[in-house]
Amino acid sequence: FLSPSNSLPFSHSSSVFHHRWFYKRFHKQHHIFKTSVALNTEYAHPLEHLVSNVLTTFGGPLLLGSHVLVFWSYFAFRLWETFDGHSGYTIPILSPFSVVSWWTGPQMHDFHHSHNIGAFGTMTCFWDWVCGTDKAYRLFAAKEKEKQGRKNNEGIDRVEIKEDDELETKKKMYEGNVWKKAAWVSAQ
């Protein structure tokens, strides 16, 4: 019951901090790391940390008047989930989240850090799906799966996306959304 109280505000605040004006001033610090690193979860500008991390995590329990034990249990769960999402690994024993199909997981967040487009959500990919910010990741994941299928005997762990592929992925992500098309054009 506390997860939705975090998921919606975090996804939207994260999306705002990826707007060019906010990104340059506040969020770029978090994206210094091009791969997910667990300790980088808390490496953020103080304003971003307050808005995206503190308010979204503590807001739900405080508004709902949660018992202190529920609050601390939820806080521990959020830290575990956040560190898992930034770990870069999917280890079923350490990451029970990996068995839930609608959980974002390290792969989606790795994509977010390496390509810096979309995949703004935390915990679930619901808001990314609703807002269409998961399109670039889905295209990338499908392309990676196809490439790994062709080369599965070579032991490829990750397939790097070429710059041309990245540009094409960004263009496809912005298709069909007028506001995002405007942002795409202004970014060029």
Side-chain angles (χ1 to χ4, degrees):
F1 61 92
L2 290 174
S3 293
S5 71
N6 175 268
S7 187
L8 174 67
F10 180 86
S11 297
H12 288 76
S13 68
S14 181
S15 178
V16 168
F17 277 106
H18 281 86
H19 181 275
R20 199 165 57 187
W21 190 87
F22 289 100
Y23 182 84
K24 183 170 52 172
R25 289 165 179 80
F26 304 108
H27 191 61
K28 189 173 185 177
Q29 175 178 340
H30 180 72
H31 277 274
I32 287 173
F33 300 94
K34 298 298 179 198
T35 57
S36 295
V37 177
L39 292 177
N40 130 7
T41 60
E42 303 302 325
Y43 188 63
H45 186 278
L47 178 68
E48 178 190 8
H49 182 67
L50 177 67
V51 172
S52 287
N53 298 339
V54 175
L55 292 178
T56 62
T57 299
F58 296 140
L62 291 175
L63 288 174
L64 296 172
S66 298
H67 186 275
V68 69
L69 188 57
V70 171
F71 171 78
W72 283 110
S73 299
Y74 174 69
F75 184 60
F77 169 78
R78 281 289 299 128
L79 285 175
W80 181 14
E81 182 275 329
T82 302
F83 292 148
D84 176 68
H86 280 85
S87 71
Y89 298 98
T90 301
I91 304 170
I93 296 169
L94 300 175
S95 176
F97 314 114
S98 64
V99 298
V100 182
S101 64
W102 43 266
W103 218 266
T104 57
Q107 296 87 356
M108 193 169 187
H109 207 73
D110 271 352
F111 173 81
H112 171 80
H113 273 271
S114 63
H115 295 82
N116 202 14
I117 51 174
F120 300 128
T122 180
M123 289 194 259
T124 72
C125 52
F126 177 74
W127 289 110
D128 283 312
W129 175 72
V130 168
C131 298
T133 55
D134 65 341
K135 289 179 183 176
Y137 171 72
R138 290 183 186 275
L139 288 168
F140 172 77
K143 193 177 282 190
E144 184 175 87
K145 188 175 180 180
E146 180 184 318
K147 287 179 182 178
Q148 285 181 348
R150 283 185 271 153
K151 299 180 180 184
N152 63 0
N153 293 332
E154 295 178 23
I156 295 177
D157 293 322
R158 290 185 66 142
V159 177
E160 295 298 324
I161 191 167
K162 297 177 185 170
E163 284 186 31
D164 292 342
D165 289 344
E166 185 176 330
L167 182 63
E168 189 61 32
T169 301
K170 285 182 181 180
K171 284 180 182 177
K172 286 182 181 178
M173 179 184 140
Y174 288 99
E175 285 177 4
N177 189 317
V178 175
W179 183 82
K180 289 181 181 174
K181 277 186 180 176
W184 169 254
V185 171
S186 67
Q188 294 302 310

